[in-house]
Amino acid sequence: MAWVTGHQLRFFNSLGRRLEDFTPSTDVVGLYSCGPTVYSYQHLGNMRPYVFADTLRRALRWKGIPVRAVINITDVGHAIADSDTGEDKLEVAAAKERRSVEEIAEFYAEDWLEAMAALNVQPADVYPRASDYVDQMIEFAKQLEDKGYTYQLPSGLYFDTSKSPGYGTLAMMDIAGQREGTRVEVVEGRKNKSDFALWRAEEPGVRRVMRWNSPWGWGAPGWHLECSVMSMTLLGEHFDIHTGGIDHRELHHVNEIAQSEAYLEDGRPWVRYWLHNEFILLDAQKIAKSAGHTLRLADLVESGYHPMAYRLFLLGGHYRSQLDFTTAAMDAVQKTLRRLIARIVPLRPLPHVETLTDALALLRHPGTADATAGGTVTREATEDKAALAYLDAIDAAIANDLATPKLLATLQDALGDADITTEGLKVVVAAADALLGLRLGDLGLSEVDQRRTAEDLDSEQVAAIERLIAERTQARKEKNWSRADQIRAELDALGVQVTDTPTGPTWQLR
Ligand SMILES: [Zn+2]
């Protein structure tokens, strides 16, 4: 009977690219998610990995599986363009903004944490900062060196990927071609193109701001090293789940696995399940920070969308599908959120539900109305069959590789069902929200409705909008239509409606 523990939890494991039953290997499941590099504002697209990881966490909690969640904050070592050489992203930003590296890191980390809270992402148990773990990283690299996995060049200490028999399995690299991989950057003396830096030595005559002494001279750790070291330190040498954006599947996670399995040398896979989320597309382009203007969650809020509407937008697509970010889509989810909340307000307060067990207990012993008075099942308990069926559908959806679109559809069905009891419906809504995290129990309608007008904008925001409009006018003059379209999309996302008139463009907020 599926009802005792519910449906078997199944995830799509990038390692092997197949759906697999999830079984915890420890009492507390270790969950590591690659976190932000805090040298600038985080783009909207960069919110998806954390809403996805949060959904995963909620699914595990739903099944009564305790989790320890770690999200790192990269405040050192991430070289520009994700390469192994060149300047550090943090140092570049600090120089540009004339602030110290620490100020930059703290400012943008704080901004990201605020966005996480606005999106109702549960806080991680630990947010390790890479800069706090450099000693351990040096020690880790030393051990790899002792075991013969590395070689030294003037530019640093490199991991020799030809010594790693399973190199590239996660990315399904073809074994013959893998070491001549596409991420080509020229590093003098490197044995294989896929070899990566464990330690990035200072170039002669260039003194880094963030620098540490090491057996390989002054410098900074390579970017991949931090995740292996911090995850093992905080979750144990082996742990169950590692998540990240799909771009990490091709390089960052490949390198994490290579160095970790070389370090452990125990013949076991370092991490059992690798889960990756797809990208958000803006005008069919991956939303990436390198694409120029950073579209932020704060921008959406400025334009009158509630952060929960963005969460709803994300959950409306399966995490392994690409999602098209458009104003029309945001308008639609904002409306849906409003309708949901308006429908649910009369049901409040919702009962407290975190797990399937909680929800079942509520349906079987519905509080004041004793369902089995005198040993006979009462009418009420019989009617809860509808609620039980919805609960089963919710459980089936989340267990099936976090099928949040199906879960949302089930919630809508339950809300529109005339045959479900009010008490049963309350439990179903609370159960759905334990997994969706849309704040269905407390989000106020007035909060959802908050829309700003141009009068609410400060002079800086107005200036930013007008700068974009001027840029668009210029792009059109130059017949650079793709740039003009891109700016139009950005303005659109800010809730700005531009009207072209004979005397030039005018604008208003939608
Ligand atoms: Zn990582």
PDB file of all heavy atoms in Angstrom, residues 340-370:
ATOM      1  N   LEU A 340      -4.980  32.658  -6.410  1.00  0.00           N
ATOM      2  CA  LEU A 340      -4.706  31.611  -5.418  1.00  0.00           C
ATOM      3  C   LEU A 340      -4.901  32.148  -4.008  1.00  0.00           C
ATOM      4  O   LEU A 340      -5.597  31.550  -3.182  1.00  0.00           O
ATOM      5  CB  LEU A 340      -3.255  31.142  -5.548  1.00  0.00           C
ATOM      6  CG  LEU A 340      -2.928  29.871  -6.312  1.00  0.00           C
ATOM      7  CD1 LEU A 340      -1.423  29.629  -6.282  1.00  0.00           C
ATOM      8  CD2 LEU A 340      -3.649  28.667  -5.697  1.00  0.00           C
ATOM      9  N   ILE A 341      -4.273  33.283  -3.740  1.00  0.00           N
ATOM     10  CA  ILE A 341      -4.329  33.849  -2.398  1.00  0.00           C
ATOM     11  C   ILE A 341      -5.773  34.237  -2.057  1.00  0.00           C
ATOM     12  O   ILE A 341      -6.266  33.955  -0.960  1.00  0.00           O
ATOM     13  CB  ILE A 341      -3.388  35.071  -2.261  1.00  0.00           C
ATOM     14  CG1 ILE A 341      -1.928  34.648  -2.508  1.00  0.00           C
ATOM     15  CG2 ILE A 341      -3.526  35.725  -0.880  1.00  0.00           C
ATOM     16  CD1 ILE A 341      -1.369  33.636  -1.529  1.00  0.00           C
ATOM     17  N   ALA A 342      -6.467  34.858  -3.021  1.00  0.00           N
ATOM     18  CA  ALA A 342      -7.847  35.271  -2.775  1.00  0.00           C
ATOM     19  C   ALA A 342      -8.718  34.059  -2.445  1.00  0.00           C
ATOM     20  O   ALA A 342      -9.590  34.111  -1.566  1.00  0.00           O
ATOM     21  CB  ALA A 342      -8.406  35.997  -3.999  1.00  0.00           C
ATOM     22  N   ARG A 343      -8.456  32.943  -3.119  1.00  0.00           N
ATOM     23  CA  ARG A 343      -9.232  31.730  -2.878  1.00  0.00           C
ATOM     24  C   ARG A 343      -8.895  31.118  -1.514  1.00  0.00           C
ATOM     25  O   ARG A 343      -9.747  30.514  -0.860  1.00  0.00           O
ATOM     26  CB  ARG A 343      -8.918  30.723  -4.005  1.00  0.00           C
ATOM     27  CG  ARG A 343      -9.470  29.313  -3.833  1.00  0.00           C
ATOM     28  CD  ARG A 343     -10.977  29.269  -4.057  1.00  0.00           C
ATOM     29  NE  ARG A 343     -11.509  27.924  -3.848  1.00  0.00           N
ATOM     30  CZ  ARG A 343     -11.899  27.451  -2.675  1.00  0.00           C
ATOM     31  NH1 ARG A 343     -11.797  28.200  -1.583  1.00  0.00           N
ATOM     32  NH2 ARG A 343     -12.372  26.219  -2.567  1.00  0.00           N
ATOM     33  N   ILE A 344      -7.639  31.269  -1.090  1.00  0.00           N
ATOM     34  CA  ILE A 344      -7.171  30.574   0.117  1.00  0.00           C
ATOM     35  C   ILE A 344      -7.404  31.387   1.392  1.00  0.00           C
ATOM     36  O   ILE A 344      -7.556  30.813   2.473  1.00  0.00           O
ATOM     37  CB  ILE A 344      -5.683  30.164  -0.056  1.00  0.00           C
ATOM     38  CG1 ILE A 344      -5.602  29.013  -1.070  1.00  0.00           C
ATOM     39  CG2 ILE A 344      -5.045  29.748   1.263  1.00  0.00           C
ATOM     40  CD1 ILE A 344      -4.224  28.756  -1.615  1.00  0.00           C
ATOM     41  N   VAL A 345      -7.471  32.709   1.271  1.00  0.00           N
ATOM     42  CA  VAL A 345      -7.653  33.541   2.470  1.00  0.00           C
ATOM     43  C   VAL A 345      -8.800  33.046   3.369  1.00  0.00           C
ATOM     44  O   VAL A 345      -8.613  32.914   4.589  1.00  0.00           O
ATOM     45  CB  VAL A 345      -7.825  35.034   2.084  1.00  0.00           C
ATOM     46  CG1 VAL A 345      -8.408  35.846   3.236  1.00  0.00           C
ATOM     47  CG2 VAL A 345      -6.482  35.624   1.665  1.00  0.00           C
ATOM     48  N   PRO A 346      -9.967  32.709   2.798  1.00  0.00           N
ATOM     49  CA  PRO A 346     -11.060  32.250   3.678  1.00  0.00           C
ATOM     50  C   PRO A 346     -10.782  30.916   4.385  1.00  0.00           C
ATOM     51  O   PRO A 346     -11.474  30.574   5.342  1.00  0.00           O
ATOM     52  CB  PRO A 346     -12.248  32.071   2.708  1.00  0.00           C
ATOM     53  CG  PRO A 346     -11.882  32.785   1.467  1.00  0.00           C
ATOM     54  CD  PRO A 346     -10.408  32.795   1.395  1.00  0.00           C
ATOM     55  N   LEU A 347      -9.791  30.180   3.899  1.00  0.00           N
ATOM     56  CA  LEU A 347      -9.469  28.880   4.515  1.00  0.00           C
ATOM     57  C   LEU A 347      -8.528  29.033   5.710  1.00  0.00           C
ATOM     58  O   LEU A 347      -8.261  28.082   6.435  1.00  0.00           O
ATOM     59  CB  LEU A 347      -8.806  27.955   3.490  1.00  0.00           C
ATOM     60  CG  LEU A 347      -9.619  27.569   2.259  1.00  0.00           C
ATOM     61  CD1 LEU A 347      -8.736  26.808   1.267  1.00  0.00           C
ATOM     62  CD2 LEU A 347     -10.825  26.713   2.663  1.00  0.00           C
ATOM     63  N   ARG A 348      -7.980  30.208   5.874  1.00  0.00           N
ATOM     64  CA  ARG A 348      -6.985  30.405   6.932  1.00  0.00           C
ATOM     65  C   ARG A 348      -7.639  30.460   8.294  1.00  0.00           C
ATOM     66  O   ARG A 348      -8.787  30.890   8.394  1.00  0.00           O
ATOM     67  CB  ARG A 348      -6.188  31.687   6.665  1.00  0.00           C
ATOM     68  CG  ARG A 348      -5.292  31.556   5.453  1.00  0.00           C
ATOM     69  CD  ARG A 348      -4.628  32.879   5.150  1.00  0.00           C
ATOM     70  NE  ARG A 348      -3.781  32.781   3.954  1.00  0.00           N
ATOM     71  CZ  ARG A 348      -3.240  33.830   3.355  1.00  0.00           C
ATOM     72  NH1 ARG A 348      -3.430  35.042   3.836  1.00  0.00           N
ATOM     73  NH2 ARG A 348      -2.485  33.664   2.292  1.00  0.00           N
ATOM     74  N   PRO A 349      -6.946  30.058   9.382  1.00  0.00           N
ATOM     75  CA  PRO A 349      -5.557  29.588   9.381  1.00  0.00           C
ATOM     76  C   PRO A 349      -5.436  28.155   8.855  1.00  0.00           C
ATOM     77  O   PRO A 349      -6.286  27.317   9.149  1.00  0.00           O
ATOM     78  CB  PRO A 349      -5.174  29.647  10.861  1.00  0.00           C
ATOM     79  CG  PRO A 349      -6.454  29.467  11.598  1.00  0.00           C
ATOM     80  CD  PRO A 349      -7.528  30.071  10.728  1.00  0.00           C
ATOM     81  N   LEU A 350      -4.352  27.909   8.117  1.00  0.00           N
ATOM     82  CA  LEU A 350      -4.089  26.558   7.627  1.00  0.00           C
ATOM     83  C   LEU A 350      -3.401  25.756   8.733  1.00  0.00           C
ATOM     84  O   LEU A 350      -2.674  26.330   9.547  1.00  0.00           O
ATOM     85  CB  LEU A 350      -3.173  26.606   6.401  1.00  0.00           C
ATOM     86  CG  LEU A 350      -3.691  27.348   5.174  1.00  0.00           C
ATOM     87  CD1 LEU A 350      -2.630  27.352   4.067  1.00  0.00           C
ATOM     88  CD2 LEU A 350      -4.986  26.720   4.659  1.00  0.00           C
ATOM     89  N   PRO A 351      -3.635  24.453   8.762  1.00  0.00           N
ATOM     90  CA  PRO A 351      -2.937  23.645   9.768  1.00  0.00           C
ATOM     91  C   PRO A 351      -1.440  23.572   9.471  1.00  0.00           C
ATOM     92  O   PRO A 351      -1.019  23.824   8.337  1.00  0.00           O
ATOM     93  CB  PRO A 351      -3.577  22.268   9.623  1.00  0.00           C
ATOM     94  CG  PRO A 351      -4.116  22.236   8.236  1.00  0.00           C
ATOM     95  CD  PRO A 351      -4.484  23.647   7.882  1.00  0.00           C
ATOM     96  N   HIS A 352      -0.663  23.238  10.477  1.00  0.00           N
ATOM     97  CA  HIS A 352       0.784  23.124  10.286  1.00  0.00           C
ATOM     98  C   HIS A 352       1.114  21.766   9.647  1.00  0.00           C
ATOM     99  O   HIS A 352       0.859  20.723  10.240  1.00  0.00           O
ATOM    100  CB  HIS A 352       1.498  23.265  11.630  1.00  0.00           C
ATOM    101  CG  HIS A 352       2.983  23.191  11.487  1.00  0.00           C
ATOM    102  ND1 HIS A 352       3.730  24.267  11.050  1.00  0.00           N
ATOM    103  CD2 HIS A 352       3.854  22.183  11.678  1.00  0.00           C
ATOM    104  CE1 HIS A 352       5.001  23.910  10.988  1.00  0.00           C
ATOM    105  NE2 HIS A 352       5.109  22.648  11.365  1.00  0.00           N
ATOM    106  N   VAL A 353       1.666  21.805   8.460  1.00  0.00           N
ATOM    107  CA  VAL A 353       2.054  20.566   7.765  1.00  0.00           C
ATOM    108  C   VAL A 353       3.453  20.739   7.208  1.00  0.00           C
ATOM    109  O   VAL A 353       3.735  21.725   6.525  1.00  0.00           O
ATOM    110  CB  VAL A 353       1.082  20.256   6.595  1.00  0.00           C
ATOM    111  CG1 VAL A 353       1.587  19.054   5.793  1.00  0.00           C
ATOM    112  CG2 VAL A 353      -0.326  20.001   7.086  1.00  0.00           C
ATOM    113  N   GLU A 354       4.326  19.797   7.528  1.00  0.00           N
ATOM    114  CA  GLU A 354       5.650  19.781   6.897  1.00  0.00           C
ATOM    115  C   GLU A 354       5.868  18.472   6.146  1.00  0.00           C
ATOM    116  O   GLU A 354       6.578  18.429   5.157  1.00  0.00           O
ATOM    117  CB  GLU A 354       6.753  19.948   7.948  1.00  0.00           C
ATOM    118  CG  GLU A 354       6.865  21.364   8.473  1.00  0.00           C
ATOM    119  CD  GLU A 354       8.077  21.570   9.357  1.00  0.00           C
ATOM    120  OE1 GLU A 354       8.787  20.577   9.673  1.00  0.00           O
ATOM    121  OE2 GLU A 354       8.307  22.731   9.747  1.00  0.00           O
ATOM    122  N   THR A 355       5.253  17.405   6.685  1.00  0.00           N
ATOM    123  CA  THR A 355       5.527  16.084   6.110  1.00  0.00           C
ATOM    124  C   THR A 355       4.231  15.408   5.676  1.00  0.00           C
ATOM    125  O   THR A 355       3.137  15.797   6.085  1.00  0.00           O
ATOM    126  CB  THR A 355       6.202  15.175   7.154  1.00  0.00           C
ATOM    127  OG1 THR A 355       5.249  14.930   8.207  1.00  0.00           O
ATOM    128  CG2 THR A 355       7.433  15.814   7.744  1.00  0.00           C
ATOM    129  N   LEU A 356       4.398  14.376   4.879  1.00  0.00           N
ATOM    130  CA  LEU A 356       3.261  13.553   4.470  1.00  0.00           C
ATOM    131  C   LEU A 356       2.584  12.965   5.711  1.00  0.00           C
ATOM    132  O   LEU A 356       1.356  12.918   5.800  1.00  0.00           O
ATOM    133  CB  LEU A 356       3.760  12.436   3.543  1.00  0.00           C
ATOM    134  CG  LEU A 356       2.762  11.350   3.139  1.00  0.00           C
ATOM    135  CD1 LEU A 356       1.576  11.935   2.399  1.00  0.00           C
ATOM    136  CD2 LEU A 356       3.450  10.300   2.247  1.00  0.00           C
ATOM    137  N   THR A 357       3.397  12.564   6.670  1.00  0.00           N
ATOM    138  CA  THR A 357       2.864  12.003   7.912  1.00  0.00           C
ATOM    139  C   THR A 357       1.988  13.019   8.642  1.00  0.00           C
ATOM    140  O   THR A 357       0.913  12.678   9.133  1.00  0.00           O
ATOM    141  CB  THR A 357       4.033  11.555   8.828  1.00  0.00           C
ATOM    142  OG1 THR A 357       4.910  10.754   8.051  1.00  0.00           O
ATOM    143  CG2 THR A 357       3.539  10.774  10.023  1.00  0.00           C
ATOM    144  N   ASP A 358       2.454  14.267   8.706  1.00  0.00           N
ATOM    145  CA  ASP A 358       1.656  15.341   9.331  1.00  0.00           C
ATOM    146  C   ASP A 358       0.287  15.412   8.666  1.00  0.00           C
ATOM    147  O   ASP A 358      -0.749  15.487   9.329  1.00  0.00           O
ATOM    148  CB  ASP A 358       2.294  16.731   9.092  1.00  0.00           C
ATOM    149  CG  ASP A 358       3.580  16.942   9.868  1.00  0.00           C
ATOM    150  OD1 ASP A 358       3.845  16.154  10.794  1.00  0.00           O
ATOM    151  OD2 ASP A 358       4.305  17.910   9.547  1.00  0.00           O
ATOM    152  N   ALA A 359       0.306  15.449   7.333  1.00  0.00           N
ATOM    153  CA  ALA A 359      -0.931  15.645   6.580  1.00  0.00           C
ATOM    154  C   ALA A 359      -1.878  14.463   6.785  1.00  0.00           C
ATOM    155  O   ALA A 359      -3.075  14.647   7.005  1.00  0.00           O
ATOM    156  CB  ALA A 359      -0.617  15.831   5.100  1.00  0.00           C
ATOM    157  N   LEU A 360      -1.339  13.240   6.748  1.00  0.00           N
ATOM    158  CA  LEU A 360      -2.170  12.050   6.942  1.00  0.00           C
ATOM    159  C   LEU A 360      -2.780  12.039   8.336  1.00  0.00           C
ATOM    160  O   LEU A 360      -3.955  11.710   8.514  1.00  0.00           O
ATOM    161  CB  LEU A 360      -1.339  10.785   6.722  1.00  0.00           C
ATOM    162  CG  LEU A 360      -0.995  10.474   5.260  1.00  0.00           C
ATOM    163  CD1 LEU A 360      -0.051   9.289   5.178  1.00  0.00           C
ATOM    164  CD2 LEU A 360      -2.269  10.200   4.465  1.00  0.00           C
ATOM    165  N   ALA A 361      -1.974  12.419   9.316  1.00  0.00           N
ATOM    166  CA  ALA A 361      -2.472  12.427  10.699  1.00  0.00           C
ATOM    167  C   ALA A 361      -3.636  13.404  10.828  1.00  0.00           C
ATOM    168  O   ALA A 361      -4.631  13.117  11.502  1.00  0.00           O
ATOM    169  CB  ALA A 361      -1.346  12.807  11.648  1.00  0.00           C
ATOM    170  N   LEU A 362      -3.526  14.532  10.170  1.00  0.00           N
ATOM    171  CA  LEU A 362      -4.599  15.534  10.240  1.00  0.00           C
ATOM    172  C   LEU A 362      -5.874  15.015   9.579  1.00  0.00           C
ATOM    173  O   LEU A 362      -6.977  15.266  10.054  1.00  0.00           O
ATOM    174  CB  LEU A 362      -4.161  16.828   9.557  1.00  0.00           C
ATOM    175  CG  LEU A 362      -3.238  17.726  10.376  1.00  0.00           C
ATOM    176  CD1 LEU A 362      -2.590  18.774   9.486  1.00  0.00           C
ATOM    177  CD2 LEU A 362      -4.001  18.399  11.521  1.00  0.00           C
ATOM    178  N   LEU A 363      -5.717  14.306   8.498  1.00  0.00           N
ATOM    179  CA  LEU A 363      -6.904  13.801   7.805  1.00  0.00           C
ATOM    180  C   LEU A 363      -7.542  12.650   8.564  1.00  0.00           C
ATOM    181  O   LEU A 363      -8.754  12.455   8.528  1.00  0.00           O
ATOM    182  CB  LEU A 363      -6.553  13.349   6.388  1.00  0.00           C
ATOM    183  CG  LEU A 363      -6.317  14.462   5.376  1.00  0.00           C
ATOM    184  CD1 LEU A 363      -6.078  13.883   4.001  1.00  0.00           C
ATOM    185  CD2 LEU A 363      -7.498  15.432   5.336  1.00  0.00           C
ATOM    186  N   ARG A 364      -6.743  11.895   9.240  1.00  0.00           N
ATOM    187  CA  ARG A 364      -7.282  10.750   9.974  1.00  0.00           C
ATOM    188  C   ARG A 364      -7.820  11.155  11.338  1.00  0.00           C
ATOM    189  O   ARG A 364      -8.672  10.500  11.895  1.00  0.00           O
ATOM    190  CB  ARG A 364      -6.220   9.655  10.104  1.00  0.00           C
ATOM    191  CG  ARG A 364      -6.081   8.930   8.787  1.00  0.00           C
ATOM    192  CD  ARG A 364      -4.878   8.065   8.699  1.00  0.00           C
ATOM    193  NE  ARG A 364      -4.807   7.459   7.363  1.00  0.00           N
ATOM    194  CZ  ARG A 364      -3.754   6.792   6.918  1.00  0.00           C
ATOM    195  NH1 ARG A 364      -2.697   6.638   7.684  1.00  0.00           N
ATOM    196  NH2 ARG A 364      -3.766   6.283   5.712  1.00  0.00           N
ATOM    197  N   HIS A 365      -7.268  12.212  11.899  1.00  0.00           N
ATOM    198  CA  HIS A 365      -7.761  12.725  13.184  1.00  0.00           C
ATOM    199  C   HIS A 365      -7.988  14.215  13.013  1.00  0.00           C
ATOM    200  O   HIS A 365      -7.207  15.021  13.498  1.00  0.00           O
ATOM    201  CB  HIS A 365      -6.736  12.479  14.299  1.00  0.00           C
ATOM    202  CG  HIS A 365      -6.314  11.061  14.375  1.00  0.00           C
ATOM    203  ND1 HIS A 365      -7.087  10.094  14.959  1.00  0.00           N
ATOM    204  CD2 HIS A 365      -5.211  10.445  13.917  1.00  0.00           C
ATOM    205  CE1 HIS A 365      -6.471   8.924  14.861  1.00  0.00           C
ATOM    206  NE2 HIS A 365      -5.328   9.100  14.232  1.00  0.00           N
ATOM    207  N   PRO A 366      -9.043  14.585  12.325  1.00  0.00           N
ATOM    208  CA  PRO A 366      -9.187  15.999  11.985  1.00  0.00           C
ATOM    209  C   PRO A 366      -9.582  16.859  13.180  1.00  0.00           C
ATOM    210  O   PRO A 366     -10.690  17.360  13.269  1.00  0.00           O
ATOM    211  CB  PRO A 366     -10.257  15.999  10.897  1.00  0.00           C
ATOM    212  CG  PRO A 366     -11.005  14.726  11.086  1.00  0.00           C
ATOM    213  CD  PRO A 366     -10.182  13.783  11.880  1.00  0.00           C
ATOM    214  N   GLY A 367      -8.656  17.014  14.081  1.00  0.00           N
ATOM    215  CA  GLY A 367      -8.795  17.963  15.192  1.00  0.00           C
ATOM    216  C   GLY A 367     -10.061  17.757  16.000  1.00  0.00           C
ATOM    217  O   GLY A 367     -10.305  16.675  16.531  1.00  0.00           O
ATOM    218  N   THR A 368     -10.876  18.791  16.056  1.00  0.00           N
ATOM    219  CA  THR A 368     -12.055  18.769  16.924  1.00  0.00           C
ATOM    220  C   THR A 368     -13.096  17.754  16.479  1.00  0.00           C
ATOM    221  O   THR A 368     -13.671  17.056  17.293  1.00  0.00           O
ATOM    222  CB  THR A 368     -12.703  20.170  16.954  1.00  0.00           C
ATOM    223  OG1 THR A 368     -12.838  20.616  15.601  1.00  0.00           O
ATOM    224  CG2 THR A 368     -11.841  21.145  17.737  1.00  0.00           C
ATOM    225  N   ALA A 369     -13.318  17.675  15.171  1.00  0.00           N
ATOM    226  CA  ALA A 369     -14.317  16.732  14.678  1.00  0.00           C
ATOM    227  C   ALA A 369     -13.730  15.332  14.711  1.00  0.00           C
ATOM    228  O   ALA A 369     -12.913  14.964  13.885  1.00  0.00           O
ATOM    229  CB  ALA A 369     -14.720  17.097  13.251  1.00  0.00           C
ATOM    230  N   ASP A 370     -14.125  14.556  15.710  1.00  0.00           N
ATOM    231  CA  ASP A 370     -13.566  13.222  15.868  1.00  0.00           C
ATOM    232  C   ASP A 370     -14.143  12.283  14.813  1.00  0.00           C
ATOM    233  O   ASP A 370     -15.321  11.978  14.794  1.00  0.00           O
ATOM    234  CB  ASP A 370     -13.863  12.696  17.269  1.00  0.00           C
ATOM    235  CG  ASP A 370     -13.078  11.425  17.560  1.00  0.00           C
ATOM    236  OD1 ASP A 370     -12.412  10.911  16.645  1.00  0.00           O
ATOM    237  OD2 ASP A 370     -13.128  10.949  18.680  1.00  0.00           O
TER     238      ASP A 370
END
